[in-house]
Amino acid sequence: MPESPVIGVVGATGAVGRVTLRLLAERGYEQVRVFASGRSAGRELDGGLVVEAATPEALAAGGLDVALFSVGTSASRELVPHAVRGGATVVDKSAAYRLEPGIPLVVPEVNGARALEHDGIVANPNCCTIPLTCVLKPLHDAAGLASVRLSTYQSVSGAGAQRMEQLRNEPQDEHDLAMDWSWEGDETDEEAKIRAEAQKILELPELPVSATTVRVPVLVGHAESVWVELEDELTPDQATELLAAAPSVRVVDVPTPGAAAQTDEVLVGRVRVDRASRNGLVLFLACDNLVKGAALNAIQIAELLLSGDAGKGARTDDLLAAQRDGVG
Amino acid sequence: MPESPVIGVVGATGAVGRVTLRLLAERGYEQVRVFASGRSAGRELDGGLVVEAATPEALAAGGLDVALFSVGTSASRELVPHAVRGGATVVDKSAAYRLEPGIPLVVPEVNGARALEHDGIVANPNCCTIPLTCVLKPLHDAAGLASVRLSTYQSVSGAGAQRMEQLRNEPQDEHDLAMDWSWEGDETDEEAKIRAEAQKILELPELPVSATTVRVPVLVGHAESVWVELEDELTPDQATELLAAAPSVRVVDVPTPGAAAQTDEVLVGRVRVDRASRNGLVLFLACDNLVKGAALNAIQIAELLLSGDAGKGARTDDLLAAQRDGVG
């Protein structure tokens, strides 16, 4: 792997793309190329990068070590194969490849080693699945997950920059909750994604996951109200201790989207006994959906891949340590 | 009971008091007296009513058939006994008397007959408990409740008119979730109230209820994401049919606070199988916390009391029918 890799950011002008560029700059990446739709081509972004048109030809022309895609699912389906053909390893943030057999779906803190099994594409999970699995993993390792129920509080930035603008301009009296996703039978596709992706990442294909997803009139940050049933008993104190020790997780009294905004961590708190089950816990979590919920997680996957030759086959913790020491 | 009863509204200038006055006018009540703190005494409200000071002496002086209290818990503790001494039957919307043994805690559609067992005071439940029990009751009657889990989306009007003003003036970027209640151990007092009140109203003192309460930046209307486990199987279609037939409940595709605002009903929808339990259902509900969640429920209790001589001992449905026919 090159000492100074070339990173392509495809969908650079969107909400997640912009956060991706900020994080890459903060982490010291010097060779970054930015791609977006033909409309934006030629535009100079803050920091001086000039947007290239994300055409199949441009992406297939090579020159990228890693390509971070944050475009819609249909655009990913169309463009990702060209970037792979051009020699890039793609980290795709859309839903296009997440559930495809053989394509790793990765949260570095949870199943980072899977990233190294890729065949050109690694999928980045849904913005609710990432913080959820960061919190579920240590609980599962200690006591075995039997079921998960969750109710989400998702900010409008998850629906794109345009919806953020709309919320800013709408009178306060009209702010309401919404379930503005596509529907798959009696569920939103978001609810179906959270279940299927959590099952794949945790490698628990039969895990019952029951989710209700709700959009709230907050600009940035998602929260989740979660009930877990466990195989073995775990006291709230034991669970809190495990969570405090988990990578990228921070225990706080009351996690909120506002407190999580612009931070790299998953905030979790209010861990207590679920009075409605035998070995059950209730907890609340919050996370910046644009940072750890999207851009940061994808960059962390890229860093696992870039340090992959050294780390292949190693435990996730070692990979993460290598990643922390060897960035840029 | 008098043909044209005198209704006292104590706390008439607050968010719930104002809705109470509007509903009383709509329902044709002609003899209404309004009380508030000394600060507001002498003020003329829309509609021409002049505010009287809510002093112990004024309330004990008599002349009220029913007094609807929407003041804080400590003000209710201080003032309610004086109104009772003055001969009024009090419907109290604070938490002061809700869990007191011997004092009925009433949702007319759920346990209306209990109102007639009062000894001067009937308590009106918490704004989340009212819509929740309206929805749980028909499910319990059909299949037996085994447990309830819920996560709330509560508007700021539940925290008073001042908080509504604050939200209107706050920049959109600062809008966040909150858990702005007092704490009782590891729970908010709101979570503890919902459990204890639902157990009392449904007369299921051992029912496990696990709630997480969350304030969302919406002005009016509360929503609840609910999981119920039942003793017997009930399909989503059967449950939806029972809910559609339940008094004050309306089945809709996606219940939201905005859709519920200013309506008298509890909106419920998204009834589906809980994949995490054997006989479990998931559903979502919304309700105007100032109307059915507070003012309207209290007026409905008052109307049960006013028609009580005829209805004593009758079934709730009959009481409600009597109430619908005999208002004003």
Side-chain angles (χ1 to χ4, degrees), chain A residues 152-153 172 175 191 212 270, chain B residues 152-153 172 175 191 270:
Chain A
T152 70
Y153 300 73
Q172 178 62 53
H175 288 189
E191 291 159 359
T212 295
R270 304 221 51 212
Chain B
T152 70
Y153 299 73
Q172 177 63 51
H175 287 190
E191 290 159 0
R270 303 220 52 211

Side-chain angles (χ1 to χ4, degrees), chain B residues 135-144 228 230-246 249 251 268 270-273 278-283:
Chain B
V135 162
L136 293 181
K137 175 67 170 163
L139 304 180
H140 176 66
D141 286 348
V228 294
L230 300 163
E231 299 294 352
D232 305 319
E233 205 195 329
L234 204 59
T235 68
D237 282 351
Q238 290 170 327
T240 302
E241 214 168 294
L242 290 166
L243 291 167
V249 173
V251 175
V268 63
R270 303 220 52 211
V271 183
R272 57 202 195 279
V273 167
R278 204 162 45 87
N279 289 330
L281 294 173
V282 198
L283 56 88

Side-chain angles (χ1 to χ4, degrees), chain B residues 4-20:
Chain B
S4 180
V6 181
I7 312 279
V9 177
V10 186
T13 57
V16 174
R18 280 178 284 187
V19 174
T20 303

Side-chain angles (χ1 to χ4, degrees), chain B residues 53-307:
Chain B
T55 60
E57 297 71 30
L59 294 167
L64 301 176
D65 294 300
V66 170
L68 303 171
F69 271 71
S70 44
V71 296
T73 295
S74 62
S76 272
R77 278 198 201 289
E78 189 203 334
L79 296 173
V80 163
H82 295 286
V84 173
R85 192 151 55 86
T89 304
V90 170
V91 182
D92 182 50
K93 284 173 239 181
S94 82
Y97 300 100
R98 288 181 192 154
L99 301 179
E100 206 112 311
I103 293 190
L105 178 66
V106 174
V107 179
E109 298 83 348
V110 178
N111 66 338
R114 289 285 176 217
L116 304 181
E117 297 168 4
H118 76 85
D119 198 23
I121 306 174
V122 179
N124 190 70
N126 171 281
C127 49
C128 284
T129 314
I130 292 170
L132 180 65
T133 53
C134 283
V135 162
L136 293 181
K137 175 67 170 163
L139 304 180
H140 176 66
D141 286 348
L145 282 173
S147 78
V148 180
R149 294 176 179 88
L150 71 145
S151 194
T152 70
Y153 299 73
Q154 297 180 235
S155 63
V156 298
S157 59
Q162 207 175 347
R163 280 291 305 282
M164 294 173 75
E165 221 25 56
Q166 190 186 327
L167 186 71
R168 282 186 208 275
N169 295 326
E170 194 179 68
Q172 177 63 51
D173 294 69
E174 291 170 20
H175 287 190
D176 195 7
L177 306 182
M179 295 185 178
D180 51 2
W181 292 277
S182 305
W183 294 83
E184 292 191 359
D186 60 2
E187 289 187 311
T188 67
D189 65 346
E190 190 84 350
E191 290 159 0
K193 277 178 195 168
I194 292 170
R195 178 175 45 255
E197 294 180 20
Q199 289 170 337
K200 178 168 177 173
I201 295 164
L202 296 167
E203 300 179 13
L204 296 169
E206 305 298 329
L207 179 70
V209 178
S210 172
T212 295
T213 57
V214 181
R215 187 84 62 197
V216 295
V218 166
L219 283 169
V220 175
H222 287 4
E224 303 175 27
S225 179
V226 184
W227 285 262
V228 294
E229 292 185 291
L230 300 163
E231 299 294 352
D232 305 319
E233 205 195 329
L234 204 59
T235 68
D237 282 351
Q238 290 170 327
T240 302
E241 214 168 294
L242 290 166
L243 291 167
S248 299
V249 173
R250 182 152 53 98
V251 175
V252 299
D253 287 343
V254 176
T256 68
Q262 312 252 12
T263 75
D264 290 355
E265 292 163 312
V266 180
L267 307 186
V268 63
R270 303 220 52 211
V271 183
R272 57 202 195 279
V273 167
D274 172 10
R275 292 158 186 257
S277 69
R278 204 162 45 87
N279 289 330
L281 294 173
V282 198
L283 56 88
F284 201 77
L285 67 86
C287 171
D288 188 321
N289 55 303
L290 304 177
V291 180
K292 181 59 186 165
L296 176 64
N297 195 74
I299 292 173
Q300 289 170 326
I301 293 171
E303 292 175 349
L304 280 181
L305 299 173
L306 292 168
S307 64

Side-chain angles (χ1 to χ4, degrees), chain A residues 217-288:
Chain A
V218 166
L219 282 169
V220 175
H222 287 5
E224 303 175 26
S225 179
V226 184
W227 285 261
V228 294
E229 291 185 291
L230 300 163
E231 299 293 353
D232 305 320
E233 204 195 329
L234 205 59
T235 68
D237 281 352
Q238 290 170 326
T240 302
E241 214 169 292
L242 290 166
L243 291 167
S248 300
V249 173
R250 183 153 51 98
V251 174
V252 300
D253 287 343
V254 176
T256 68
Q262 311 253 12
T263 75
D264 290 357
E265 292 163 312
V266 180
L267 307 186
V268 64
R270 304 221 51 212
V271 183
R272 58 202 194 278
V273 166
D274 171 11
R275 292 159 186 254
S277 69
R278 205 161 44 87
N279 288 330
L281 294 173
V282 198
L283 56 87
F284 201 78
L285 67 86
C287 172
D288 188 321

